[in-house]
Amino acid sequence: MAQLIKQGALAADPWTTLTLDEGETPEAVALPAGNVIFPLAVWLARKNEIVSCHKRIGLLLLPDDKVEEIAADLDYFVVVAVHFPKFVDGRGYSTAALLRQRYRYQGELRAVGDVLHDQLFFMKRVGFDSYALKDGKNAVYAIDQGFTPFSATYQGSTDQPEPYFRRRTA
C-alpha cells in the first residue's frame, strides 16, 4: 500500500480509489460507499448518481484525461488525484499546473502512481500538496530529502509565482 505524505508528514489515507477491471464499463461498475476517488470515465458517465450518493468525492485523472472536461465540476471534488504511470511521464505536472493556475482548484491535489522522493520538490512547485509514494519507498527519507534539494528557485511557479530576481529586489 502506498504511503501518503500530506503537508510534509505521513498521513492516514481515508480514500479508496475505484478501479475499472479490463472490459468493465463505467456504467456497469458498482459504486462503493464512503470516500471514493472515481476515475474520470466513471464521473462523466454517472455524475448525477455520484453526486446524489456521496458527500465527499474524489477524482482520478490519468495522463490522457483532459482537465477541460471537468473544469466546471471542480467544486464537487475534495481531492483530485493525478496519476503518474512512469517516473519519466511529465504530463501530470502540466495537469497540476492547469488545475491550480488556470482553474483555481483549491482542494487537495494528490500525486499517485510512480511517485518517487526526487520528484516531490518539483511536484510541490506545480501545486501538489499530497503524495502517495510508490510502494516500497521510504517515506521518512522522502520527507527529509524530497522537498528541499535546492535552497532557492529562479523561476516562478504555482508555489512561488515571483521569479528570483523580483524577490531579490523586493
Side-chain angles (χ1 to χ4, degrees):
M1 174 170 251
Q3 296 180 35
L4 183 66
I5 299 172
K6 189 172 179 179
Q7 298 174 341
L10 282 174
D13 188 1
W15 294 89
T16 57
T17 302
L18 178 66
T19 56
L20 295 175
D21 294 328
E22 187 154 338
E24 191 172 26
T25 64
E27 297 80 15
V29 68
L31 298 181
N35 296 332
V36 181
I37 298 175
F38 294 97
L40 177 62
V42 174
W43 172 255
L44 293 175
R46 300 173 71 181
K47 174 181 170 181
N48 293 335
E49 184 180 354
I50 293 169
V51 169
S52 68
C53 296
H54 290 81
K55 292 180 182 170
R56 294 171 43 90
I57 302 168
L59 180 71
L60 175 65
L61 294 175
L62 301 176
D64 290 332
D65 292 340
K66 295 183 180 359
V67 177
E68 297 81 13
E69 293 182 24
I70 51 97
D73 296 338
L74 287 174
D75 289 338
Y76 288 111
F77 309 122
V78 175
V79 60
V80 174
V82 178
H83 186 258
F84 287 81
K86 296 180 183 177
F87 172 76
V88 296
D89 191 332
R91 292 175 287 179
Y93 293 95
S94 300
T95 298
L98 282 170
L99 285 166
R100 292 289 194 211
Q101 295 172 12
R102 182 177 295 172
Y103 298 112
R104 304 286 185 230
Y105 177 67
Q106 297 297 311
E108 179 183 341
L109 189 54
R110 180 181 296 188
V112 299
D114 197 9
V115 177
L116 308 176
H117 81 274
D118 44 357
Q119 296 170 285
L120 299 181
F121 175 81
F122 301 105
M123 288 178 168
K124 184 176 183 289
R125 297 271 298 143
V126 296
F128 287 103
D129 53 11
S130 68
Y131 317 85
L133 288 182
K134 182 178 179 177
D135 288 340
K137 297 303 174 186
N138 185 333
V140 174
Y141 179 78
I143 292 168
D144 289 342
Q145 303 296 316
F147 294 104
T148 58
F150 305 106
S151 59
T153 57
Y154 291 105
Q155 302 86 1
S157 188
T158 302
D159 71 338
Q160 176 54 263
E162 292 290 319
Y164 182 74
F165 76 91
R166 291 195 197 265
R167 294 190 314 259
R168 190 186 65 197
T169 58

